[in-house]
Amino acid sequence: MLIIPNKVNADLPEDISRNDFLSIVDWFEKHQRSLYILGWSYLRNQQHLEELFYQTILKAQKDFPKIKSKTTFDTWVTKVFIHKCRELAATVSLEASEESDVHRELFNALNQLNGQEREALVFTYLRGLSAEETASLLQLSVIEVKELLVSGIQSLRNGLRHGEHFNGCVEYQKFYLDYLGRNMDRPLKIDFEKHIYHCLDCQGDLASFQEVTLQLAETLEEFQVPAGFIEGISERIAETEKHRQQKAGRWNRIAFTAASIFVLVVCTGFFTGAYAKVYYSWTEEDPELRAFLQEGLGQRLNLEAENNGVRIKIKSVIADEFQTLVFYEIEDMKESNQYWIDYEDGVTVVDERKIMSEQFYPEYEPPDLESDLNRKEQSVYHGKMSLRPLKEDSGTIKLNIDQLLRLPDVSSVQNAFNSYGNAGYEKGKWNFEIPVSKLPSTEYEMDEEIVVEGVTVWLNKLTLAPTSTILNYGIRNNLPEKRLNSINFDQLEVNNKKLKSDLYGGMTSSDYAYQAQFEPLFEKKTDQFKIYLDMAYLSFQDDKVVKLDAEKEYPQTFEYAGSTISIDKFQIGHPTTIVISNHDVKDRAYDSLNINIVPEKEEDISIEIGTEGVLVDKNGKEHDMTKITPSDFEKLKTPRYLTTVESIKIHEKNVIPKALEIYGYRATKYLDDVFEILLN
């Protein structure tokens, strides 16, 4: 489900404050081309770019509450993108097989530049930013940016010309950029032109400098984002956001029935080593950690650090090849506050790249605001944090924490949900040395195929890991008019135990194969399992061109995908505005449309699309998004978001649209498929 929200004002807009996720996705929709090219200059692979965009949007969404009022949103989120781009580039190898010869030559040359030179060139010659704007993004002075541009173009020129030497006068080379940009003061410009007139070396040097800047701008302008790129990212982001909302009122996982455990202990006694179950049932408050300890997974650590009246206790660590799960307790010893550890903000693992694998990104572990345990004492919070897995079988993690998120007063789940992220931070120093040993997993390789909505999905591995159950699969999209973008799994049944799907799991590994994650099984052997599907997210190719005529009276209607769609408004101006709507959502084939505007003259235009919509549950009942509470959302269970109004704006002057082009649509389908898989 692709959700494209209303326009974003660059300076901390009001609508971003109300709905940051939708606004952030919209911002990336509008700036995808320049960011894609910047990312491509580092990564050179579309799958790597998908992961880069995905991680950046999640990071921008989560960190949004910390943005200062004096900082523009554009600058802030672009800095996030640059940071993630550099971080990911350090972990992957370059692949240039998808480039044309012209683009390959340019990007090979760009790759030889240092990061800031490269970024300065892309921002200036693609996005058209001023030196002042680029300086703000790169946190440099304007003078430093101009020096980067000059040195970057000179280095790029040498790379493209395979080492040809240029002999312009050094003292005048620094003026090339301002001269070509017509930004020189008149006295300096006259002196510069006099010198150029008499200096043949500088004439040739300036001409080649200008040639490279033009070649750079033209080549980058021709570089296109692959069709459907941002749609796939938006689908994945929208699904992640939906999952977070679904789980807002249900953050407790993995429960064990006390009575059944007690019966097991009575029947087996100490003959089977079940003493641990009795012991931990009385001594461990956290039910999730208790379940691990009772199964002999992990051990008590009770490492403590105190600073500024706040004490953090590392209670235990459960580690496997996918993640390192840290259980902790935080006590406010001065006041009645609860604090949460945010892995991406305020947490540092010393020598992380040396000791931890970068194949998997840590799983998001949200604050559990409504558990009985965390409601017990207002000054104590019990939580967990996911870190990357260790490279070796064992080691010591040096964990430094310098910031905690202060959680709101959990007087009600609704209040906690609404104010989460806005309660402030607690600064301090809490350092730990945590001994960790990885626990083994059991893997079942397979080569099985299932068919979901006519699309082949192949299953290649089931892993029973200590911290989760993981299903590796792939989607073979080979149908010309339909694409399966992603699947929601409801549950996995193994050894007659039903494991709920992990709403925050499903992260891809470095090879970008799909993974579905479920609750841990705590068992190592099985010979079969069942897959229960929940939803399929689909894209359909269905082209239709609707002619636009400003002389006609609107509204006008047309038929598409079994629906009657109205063009409510078509107004030429600045901006030019087109509004289409379809409020009949009952049994509608599509969730949202893929739209483009065809201008009368062949020219590049940018369009801004704002949407309104409704949530429709599995029973077809509509729900107003502005009135629904998190607890209400939880009860809906994977609702569809259907657009009802799409407002299209063209900000370029003198652009007259001649047609509305619909090149397909996206749809969500509820599934009740169950597949039984036998393992060899």
Side-chain angles (χ1 to χ4, degrees):
M1 174 176 55
L2 173 61
I3 304 174
I4 306 177
N6 294 328
K7 181 181 178 182
V8 178
N9 182 334
D11 290 305
L12 273 184
E14 181 182 351
D15 59 346
I16 282 188
S17 299
R18 293 196 308 266
N19 200 339
D20 53 322
F21 164 66
L22 298 180
S23 300
I24 289 169
V25 173
D26 180 49
W27 187 91
F28 275 85
E29 179 86 18
K30 289 183 287 187
H31 296 84
Q32 61 172 310
R33 185 171 175 276
S34 59
L35 293 177
Y36 188 94
I37 293 177
L38 174 59
W40 188 270
S41 70
Y42 277 97
L43 302 172
R44 314 286 287 280
N45 178 279
Q46 183 174 339
Q47 290 179 322
H48 295 166
L49 264 293
E50 290 174 0
E51 187 68 15
L52 171 63
F53 271 72
Y54 177 78
Q55 290 188 20
T56 303
I57 295 174
L58 289 185
K59 174 70 173 174
Q61 176 197 3
K62 188 169 68 66
D63 283 0
F64 180 83
K66 295 178 292 183
I67 185 173
K68 306 299 182 183
S69 58
K70 64 182 180 181
T71 307
T72 68
F73 179 75
D74 277 23
T75 300
W76 173 72
V77 76
T78 304
K79 287 178 181 177
V80 174
F81 184 89
I82 293 171
H83 175 76
K84 285 291 180 183
C85 188
R86 294 167 179 167
E87 183 181 82
L88 189 57
T91 67
V92 300
S93 58
L94 292 182
E95 301 175 28
S97 59
E98 303 168 50
E99 300 168 341
S100 68
D101 291 340
V102 174
H103 292 146
R104 184 178 297 111
E105 181 184 22
L106 173 62
F107 281 106
N108 284 342
L110 280 171
N111 191 57
Q112 302 304 313
L113 308 183
N114 69 53
Q116 289 187 329
E117 284 181 341
R118 187 186 321 171
E119 290 154 3
L121 291 175
V122 172
F123 288 142
T124 301
Y125 292 99
L126 175 67
R127 293 192 64 183
L129 299 184
S130 65
E132 290 76 12
E133 291 169 320
T134 301
S136 176
L137 281 174
L138 300 180
Q139 296 182 307
L140 300 171
S141 68
V142 173
I143 293 176
E144 288 174 320
V145 167
K146 289 184 177 180
E147 290 174 350
L148 284 173
L149 290 171
V150 172
S151 64
I153 291 171
Q154 290 174 330
S155 299
L156 188 63
R157 178 177 62 179
N158 292 334
L160 293 174
R161 292 172 178 263
H162 308 290
E164 182 178 338
H165 295 287
F166 302 92
N167 301 310
C169 300
V170 175
E171 64 270 28
Y172 284 94
Q173 288 177 344
K174 62 184 178 180
F175 298 123
Y176 288 174
L177 197 66
D178 285 337
Y179 181 74
L180 294 174
R182 300 180 180 179
N183 294 320
M184 295 182 72
D185 293 335
R186 182 169 177 78
L188 184 59
K189 179 175 179 289
I190 293 173
D191 177 69
F192 179 81
E193 289 179 338
K194 285 181 178 178
H195 175 79
I196 292 293
Y197 181 80
H198 293 95
C199 181
L200 295 179
D201 286 339
C202 281
Q203 289 178 21
D205 200 29
L206 177 62
S208 67
F209 189 95
Q210 182 179 30
E211 179 184 347
V212 172
T213 62
L214 294 175
Q215 180 184 352
L216 175 64
E218 291 173 0
T219 305
L220 293 181
E221 189 65 31
E222 294 171 357
F223 195 91
Q224 297 298 320
V225 179
F229 172 79
I230 200 65
E231 284 81 358
I233 303 298
S234 301
E235 293 281 356
R236 187 176 171 193
I237 292 294
E239 182 180 348
T240 300
E241 175 67 9
K242 182 186 65 178
H243 286 171
R244 288 186 182 183
Q245 294 181 29
Q246 284 181 293
K247 208 171 181 180
R250 191 185 59 204
W251 285 334
N252 257 352
R253 300 162 37 196
I254 309 178
F256 277 76
T257 305
S260 64
I261 292 177
F262 178 73
V263 170
L264 177 62
V265 171
V266 170
C267 293
T268 60
F270 298 100
F271 295 101
T272 60
Y275 173 73
K277 295 182 181 290
V278 177
Y279 174 77
Y280 287 120
S281 68
W282 286 96
T283 61
E284 179 50 57
E285 292 182 283
D286 187 331
E288 186 173 355
L289 175 56
R290 184 194 311 144
F292 283 107
L293 295 176
Q294 287 175 328
E295 294 295 332
L297 303 174
Q299 59 182 350
R300 282 243 175 98
L301 295 176
N302 293 330
L303 304 174
E304 293 187 6
E306 182 181 334
N307 192 245
N308 295 335
V310 176
R311 180 168 59 198
I312 301 178
K313 179 188 293 185
I314 304 298
K315 301 172 68 175
S316 186
V317 175
I318 319 295
D320 56 28
E321 62 184 292
F322 297 99
Q323 65 176 329
T324 303
L325 203 56
V326 179
F327 287 85
Y328 62 85
E329 174 187 306
I330 304 177
E331 180 181 3
D332 185 348
M333 304 172 67
K334 296 186 302 182
E335 302 178 21
S336 296
N337 294 313
Q338 288 184 314
Y339 295 100
W340 174 66
I341 300 175
D342 183 354
Y343 164 75
E344 292 190 335
D345 194 357
V347 176
T348 303
V349 176
V350 179
D351 293 329
E352 181 178 19
R353 291 185 177 179
K354 183 184 297 184
I355 68 170
M356 307 188 94
S357 171
E358 296 181 333
Q359 183 181 13
F360 297 99
Y361 194 77
E363 185 178 342
Y364 177 64
E365 299 290 349
D368 189 346
L369 298 175
E370 67 165 351
S371 71
D372 292 337
L373 183 59
N374 284 329
R375 286 176 176 273
K376 192 174 180 180
E377 295 182 67
Q378 186 57 37
S379 60
V380 179
Y381 177 80
H382 298 262
K384 62 182 177 181
M385 169 177 54
S386 177
L387 303 177
R388 299 179 189 271
L390 288 177
K391 288 182 178 179
E392 305 296 333
D393 291 336
S394 63
T396 298
I397 296 176
K398 294 182 179 180
L399 185 70
N400 297 338
I401 302 170
D402 57 28
Q403 180 171 276
L404 304 173
L405 175 68
R406 185 183 302 113
L407 295 173
D409 181 6
V410 195
S411 57
S412 72
V413 175
Q414 178 63 45
N415 290 339
F417 183 87
N418 287 338
S419 55
Y420 163 60
N422 298 307
Y425 294 88
E426 179 71 19
K427 302 287 186 178
K429 295 291 182 183
W430 301 269
N431 300 332
F432 299 91
E433 292 191 6
I434 307 173
V436 180
S437 295
K438 283 199 301 187
L439 299 169
S441 302
T442 302
E443 295 183 351
Y444 292 92
E445 302 285 346
M446 54 184 154
D447 186 13
E448 299 288 337
E449 292 186 351
I450 61 176
V451 178
V452 180
E453 292 300 297
V455 178
T456 299
V457 176
W458 75 92
L459 313 174
N460 50 48
K461 184 165 59 175
L462 176 71
T463 303
L464 306 181
T467 64
S468 59
T469 303
I470 298 172
L471 177 66
N472 285 62
Y473 67 98
I475 299 175
R476 187 173 289 121
N477 279 302
N478 53 8
L479 301 178
E481 296 182 354
K482 179 167 65 174
R483 177 183 177 84
L484 177 60
N485 297 317
S486 61
I487 307 169
N488 265 18
F489 293 85
D490 182 44
Q491 58 188 6
L492 201 68
E493 184 176 337
V494 186
N495 294 351
N496 296 318
K497 296 179 180 179
K498 292 185 177 179
L499 311 175
K500 294 180 182 178
S501 175
D502 186 342
L503 298 178
Y504 299 101
M507 297 290 286
T508 55
S509 61
S510 61
D511 59 4
Y512 297 94
Y514 290 96
Q515 290 183 339
Q517 291 184 228
F518 304 84
E519 293 175 312
L521 180 65
F522 299 144
E523 295 181 17
K524 296 183 178 181
K525 293 184 179 181
T526 187
D527 57 7
Q528 64 180 25
F529 64 95
K530 290 183 180 179
I531 300 170
Y532 294 78
L533 302 186
D534 183 32
M535 299 179 78
Y537 298 93
L538 303 159
S539 295
F540 293 86
Q541 183 74 32
D542 185 6
D543 297 335
K544 185 178 182 68
V545 176
V546 181
K547 292 183 178 180
L548 298 172
D549 187 349
E551 300 298 324
K552 289 185 177 181
E553 293 186 4
Y554 288 86
Q556 299 277 336
T557 62
F558 63 91
E559 301 296 317
Y560 181 77
S563 294
T564 300
I565 300 174
S566 172
I567 304 178
D568 299 332
K569 181 180 181 181
F570 177 32
Q571 180 178 321
I572 305 294
H574 190 227
T576 292
T577 304
I578 304 165
V579 179
I580 67 173
S581 66
N582 178 11
H583 294 276
D584 184 7
V585 298
K586 184 178 180 181
D587 300 324
R588 201 170 80 179
Y590 69 90
D591 293 353
S592 58
L593 302 174
N594 297 327
I595 296 174
N596 189 29
I597 298 297
V598 181
E600 283 190 348
K601 299 178 182 178
E602 187 172 337
E603 55 187 317
D604 291 331
I605 62 170
S606 59
I607 64 174
E608 172 194 327
I609 304 178
T611 68
E612 298 174 18
V614 297
L615 288 175
V616 179
D617 62 27
K618 202 167 185 177
N619 298 319
K621 183 179 178 180
E622 298 180 29
H623 302 267
D624 187 342
M625 289 188 63
T626 62
K627 298 179 180 179
I628 194 169
T629 66
S631 58
D632 292 334
F633 192 94
E634 164 67 20
K635 297 173 185 177
L636 298 183
K637 190 183 179 185
T638 56
R640 299 170 63 193
Y641 175 82
L642 279 72
T643 59
T644 54
V645 178
E646 302 201 45
S647 302
I648 307 162
K649 293 183 179 180
I650 305 171
H651 292 280
E652 285 86 355
K653 294 181 180 179
N654 305 317
V655 174
I656 301 177
K658 70 175 182 180
L660 173 71
E661 178 186 33
I662 303 177
Y663 55 92
Y665 59 89
R666 293 171 291 277
T668 305
K669 183 169 182 180
Y670 291 105
L671 306 174
D672 55 10
D673 304 41
V674 179
F675 298 94
E676 184 171 354
I677 309 298
L678 299 178
L679 298 171
N680 296 327

